[in-house]
Amino acid sequence: MADILITGGLVGTQDAERRVFADGAVAIEGNRIVAIGPREEVEAAHSAARVIDARGKIVAPGFICTHTHMPSVVGHNMPVDFSKFRSFMDLLTKWWWPDVEEQTTLEGIYWTSLWAAGKMLKTGTTTVCDMVEAPSVVDGCLDKTAEAIEKLGSRAVVCYESTERLSQENAEAGIQENVRFFKARQALSESRVTGRIGVHTAFTASEEMLRRVRGLATDLGAGLVIHVAEVPPPMLVEKYGRTAPVVLRDTGFLGPDVLAVHCIHMEPEEIALWKEYDVKVSHTPMSNMLGGSGVAPVADMLDQGITVSLGHDCFFTLDIFQYVRMAFLLHKVHHHNPGLIPSFQAIDLATTNAARALQMEKEIGSLEVGKKADLIIIKPNQPSPLLPQLFYDTLINDVDGADVETVLVDGQAVVEDGRLVHVDEEEVHHRVVEETTALWQRAGAIT
């Protein structure tokens, strides 16, 4: 007997065959999917303690955000005079680093992560890869993120952004926090929160640090996360005589366990390195726009079979559907080609590609027997009938995160009727506003 039976919906599996069932069903036992297919077949083979009627709704895999900084939501609406900034590096050095990252506290990490992950969960993101930036409170900071994720019931891959921009001692503290957290989470069975090792950039790390971190990741079996080619190449060339992708190759950093974020200023020969080493990419279209950083060559990467996923950096809305839509549209206008990134490929960025980018494709990213029961049920408001052949177009054209009605992670309902199950949303909102206000005061943005 199954624990949960979801019946009657338009079920999009995102499996290798991209099967979509017009009148489908999903059976769940524990935290795994045990059956998926036409409703009559699944119902004939499985009864359940709880039946969810999904008629008139869409059932899809939980979406995955492969790059964000959840404590950074304190930067939303921060009263800043942007007229004084002339470049992305101005944004970092004159605002972000001193007024946001260095003002972040452990308590702030918990409440902002709870709020941000909750907002994402309600809008269909069941897994997030988060990189914490908090150089003033490195030790134990990742535990605060894990505490928030576990409270919500969602899933996350978490790392700390180790960097030498302040000092080698601060970099070492960040590396040790990553290693400690990875080992601690690896020791747990069936944990929804796992670790990686994060590095800020090649620009803010020495070659010695890059080599050391690569060695640690290899020894531990931990993946790596790093921002790459977000700033113009001359900055790296001035420091190293080479661009960031080449520096990473020369230090032995590259490999299939590397998640490279942004990847904007990439030449064809550097994209070829990503293909050669099977480097995964997290594309962040909106934050790239905010920084005036440029448009990543995502269409070229996809054409070459590079795994490209989707992140949002925790700027603007946290609704993953808006980022999918942005990726769907941006490259069409950038290349003057409406045929680029069709709707199914845009959805891949936040599902199957994203799971592969985190090396979790055997567990999440699609609805298949044996995989984790991470799924969303959407009540769309669209002008067309719900047809299997329109599954992807409907998600792109008509669905927003607010249309997500029910969310399951590990076979457990974590959002029902559009509300978080395990937290008091009003309390979380109150506390995150308190933390944001306090940080703005510390930064001198308000009195």
Short mmCIF file of all heavy atoms in Angstrom, two decimals, residues 362-385:
data_model
loop_
_atom_site.label_atom_id
_atom_site.label_comp_id
_atom_site.label_asym_id
_atom_site.label_seq_id
_atom_site.Cartn_x
_atom_site.Cartn_y
_atom_site.Cartn_z
N LYS A 362 20.44 10.95 -10.25
CA LYS A 362 19.87 9.64 -9.92
C LYS A 362 18.79 9.74 -8.85
O LYS A 362 18.08 8.77 -8.59
CB LYS A 362 20.96 8.68 -9.47
CG LYS A 362 21.95 8.31 -10.56
CD LYS A 362 22.99 7.32 -10.07
CE LYS A 362 23.97 6.96 -11.17
NZ LYS A 362 25.01 6.00 -10.70
N GLU A 363 18.68 10.91 -8.23
CA GLU A 363 17.76 11.09 -7.11
C GLU A 363 16.61 12.05 -7.41
O GLU A 363 15.49 11.82 -6.99
CB GLU A 363 18.54 11.61 -5.89
CG GLU A 363 19.60 10.65 -5.38
CD GLU A 363 18.99 9.42 -4.74
OE1 GLU A 363 18.04 9.56 -3.95
OE2 GLU A 363 19.45 8.31 -5.03
N ILE A 364 16.89 13.14 -8.11
CA ILE A 364 15.89 14.19 -8.31
C ILE A 364 15.96 14.70 -9.75
O ILE A 364 16.76 14.25 -10.54
CB ILE A 364 16.08 15.36 -7.32
CG1 ILE A 364 17.47 15.99 -7.49
CG2 ILE A 364 15.87 14.90 -5.88
CD1 ILE A 364 17.70 17.24 -6.62
N GLY A 365 15.08 15.63 -10.08
CA GLY A 365 15.09 16.26 -11.40
C GLY A 365 14.05 15.74 -12.35
O GLY A 365 13.73 16.39 -13.35
N SER A 366 13.50 14.57 -12.09
CA SER A 366 12.44 13.99 -12.92
C SER A 366 11.58 13.09 -12.04
O SER A 366 11.98 12.71 -10.93
CB SER A 366 13.04 13.19 -14.08
OG SER A 366 13.85 12.13 -13.61
N LEU A 367 10.40 12.78 -12.54
CA LEU A 367 9.50 11.88 -11.83
C LEU A 367 9.63 10.49 -12.43
O LEU A 367 9.11 10.22 -13.51
CB LEU A 367 8.05 12.39 -11.94
CG LEU A 367 7.79 13.80 -11.41
CD1 LEU A 367 6.31 14.15 -11.53
CD2 LEU A 367 8.25 13.95 -9.96
N GLU A 368 10.34 9.62 -11.73
CA GLU A 368 10.58 8.26 -12.19
C GLU A 368 10.57 7.30 -11.01
O GLU A 368 10.91 7.69 -9.88
CB GLU A 368 11.94 8.17 -12.91
CG GLU A 368 12.06 9.07 -14.12
CD GLU A 368 13.40 8.93 -14.80
OE1 GLU A 368 13.66 7.83 -15.35
OE2 GLU A 368 14.19 9.89 -14.80
N VAL A 369 10.21 6.07 -11.28
CA VAL A 369 10.18 5.06 -10.23
C VAL A 369 11.58 4.92 -9.63
O VAL A 369 12.58 4.80 -10.34
CB VAL A 369 9.70 3.70 -10.79
CG1 VAL A 369 9.87 2.60 -9.75
CG2 VAL A 369 8.24 3.80 -11.22
N GLY A 370 11.64 4.97 -8.31
CA GLY A 370 12.90 4.84 -7.60
C GLY A 370 13.51 6.16 -7.19
O GLY A 370 14.38 6.20 -6.31
N LYS A 371 13.07 7.26 -7.81
CA LYS A 371 13.63 8.56 -7.45
C LYS A 371 12.89 9.16 -6.26
O LYS A 371 11.78 8.73 -5.89
CB LYS A 371 13.57 9.52 -8.64
CG LYS A 371 14.61 9.22 -9.71
CD LYS A 371 14.76 10.37 -10.69
CE LYS A 371 15.92 10.14 -11.64
NZ LYS A 371 16.14 11.30 -12.54
N LYS A 372 13.53 10.18 -5.66
CA LYS A 372 12.92 10.86 -4.53
C LYS A 372 11.60 11.51 -4.97
O LYS A 372 11.48 12.02 -6.09
CB LYS A 372 13.86 11.94 -3.99
CG LYS A 372 15.16 11.39 -3.39
CD LYS A 372 14.91 10.69 -2.08
CE LYS A 372 16.19 10.16 -1.45
NZ LYS A 372 17.10 11.22 -1.00
N ALA A 373 10.64 11.48 -4.05
CA ALA A 373 9.33 12.04 -4.34
C ALA A 373 9.34 13.54 -4.05
O ALA A 373 8.78 14.01 -3.06
CB ALA A 373 8.25 11.34 -3.53
N ASP A 374 10.04 14.28 -4.91
CA ASP A 374 10.05 15.74 -4.87
C ASP A 374 9.22 16.22 -6.05
O ASP A 374 9.64 16.10 -7.21
CB ASP A 374 11.47 16.29 -5.01
CG ASP A 374 12.37 15.99 -3.82
OD1 ASP A 374 11.94 15.25 -2.92
OD2 ASP A 374 13.50 16.52 -3.79
N LEU A 375 8.05 16.76 -5.79
CA LEU A 375 7.18 17.16 -6.90
C LEU A 375 6.29 18.32 -6.52
O LEU A 375 6.12 18.64 -5.33
CB LEU A 375 6.35 15.98 -7.39
CG LEU A 375 5.47 15.24 -6.39
CD1 LEU A 375 4.13 15.93 -6.21
CD2 LEU A 375 5.23 13.79 -6.85
N ILE A 376 5.77 18.97 -7.53
CA ILE A 376 4.88 20.11 -7.32
C ILE A 376 3.57 19.88 -8.07
O ILE A 376 3.55 19.23 -9.12
CB ILE A 376 5.54 21.42 -7.79
CG1 ILE A 376 5.93 21.37 -9.27
CG2 ILE A 376 6.77 21.73 -6.94
CD1 ILE A 376 6.54 22.67 -9.80
N ILE A 377 2.51 20.39 -7.50
CA ILE A 377 1.19 20.35 -8.14
C ILE A 377 0.75 21.78 -8.37
O ILE A 377 0.69 22.59 -7.44
CB ILE A 377 0.17 19.59 -7.27
CG1 ILE A 377 0.67 18.17 -6.98
CG2 ILE A 377 -1.19 19.56 -7.96
CD1 ILE A 377 -0.22 17.39 -6.04
N ILE A 378 0.47 22.08 -9.64
CA ILE A 378 0.18 23.45 -10.07
C ILE A 378 -1.28 23.55 -10.50
O ILE A 378 -1.78 22.69 -11.23
CB ILE A 378 1.09 23.82 -11.25
CG1 ILE A 378 2.57 23.70 -10.86
CG2 ILE A 378 0.77 25.22 -11.77
CD1 ILE A 378 3.50 23.59 -12.05
N LYS A 379 -1.93 24.60 -10.06
CA LYS A 379 -3.28 24.88 -10.55
C LYS A 379 -3.18 26.06 -11.52
O LYS A 379 -3.20 27.22 -11.10
CB LYS A 379 -4.23 25.22 -9.41
CG LYS A 379 -5.67 25.38 -9.83
CD LYS A 379 -6.59 25.63 -8.65
CE LYS A 379 -8.05 25.74 -9.10
NZ LYS A 379 -8.95 25.99 -7.95
N PRO A 380 -3.02 25.78 -12.81
CA PRO A 380 -2.74 26.86 -13.76
C PRO A 380 -3.98 27.67 -14.12
O PRO A 380 -5.11 27.19 -14.02
CB PRO A 380 -2.21 26.11 -14.99
CG PRO A 380 -2.94 24.81 -14.95
CD PRO A 380 -3.10 24.48 -13.47
N ASN A 381 -3.74 28.90 -14.51
CA ASN A 381 -4.81 29.75 -15.04
C ASN A 381 -4.43 30.09 -16.47
O ASN A 381 -3.76 31.08 -16.73
CB ASN A 381 -4.95 31.01 -14.19
CG ASN A 381 -6.03 31.95 -14.70
OD1 ASN A 381 -6.89 31.54 -15.49
ND2 ASN A 381 -5.98 33.19 -14.28
N GLN A 382 -4.83 29.21 -17.41
CA GLN A 382 -4.41 29.34 -18.79
C GLN A 382 -5.62 29.37 -19.71
O GLN A 382 -6.68 28.86 -19.35
CB GLN A 382 -3.46 28.20 -19.17
CG GLN A 382 -4.09 26.91 -19.62
CD GLN A 382 -4.80 26.16 -18.50
OE1 GLN A 382 -4.61 26.46 -17.33
NE2 GLN A 382 -5.64 25.20 -18.87
N PRO A 383 -5.50 29.96 -20.89
CA PRO A 383 -6.65 30.06 -21.79
C PRO A 383 -6.86 28.84 -22.66
O PRO A 383 -7.81 28.81 -23.45
CB PRO A 383 -6.28 31.27 -22.66
CG PRO A 383 -4.79 31.20 -22.75
CD PRO A 383 -4.32 30.68 -21.40
N SER A 384 -5.99 27.85 -22.52
CA SER A 384 -6.04 26.69 -23.41
C SER A 384 -6.30 25.43 -22.60
O SER A 384 -6.10 25.40 -21.38
CB SER A 384 -4.70 26.55 -24.15
OG SER A 384 -3.62 26.52 -23.22
N PRO A 385 -6.73 24.35 -23.27
CA PRO A 385 -6.93 23.09 -22.54
C PRO A 385 -5.59 22.53 -22.08
O PRO A 385 -4.54 22.82 -22.66
CB PRO A 385 -7.58 22.18 -23.59
CG PRO A 385 -7.18 22.75 -24.91
CD PRO A 385 -7.09 24.23 -24.70
#
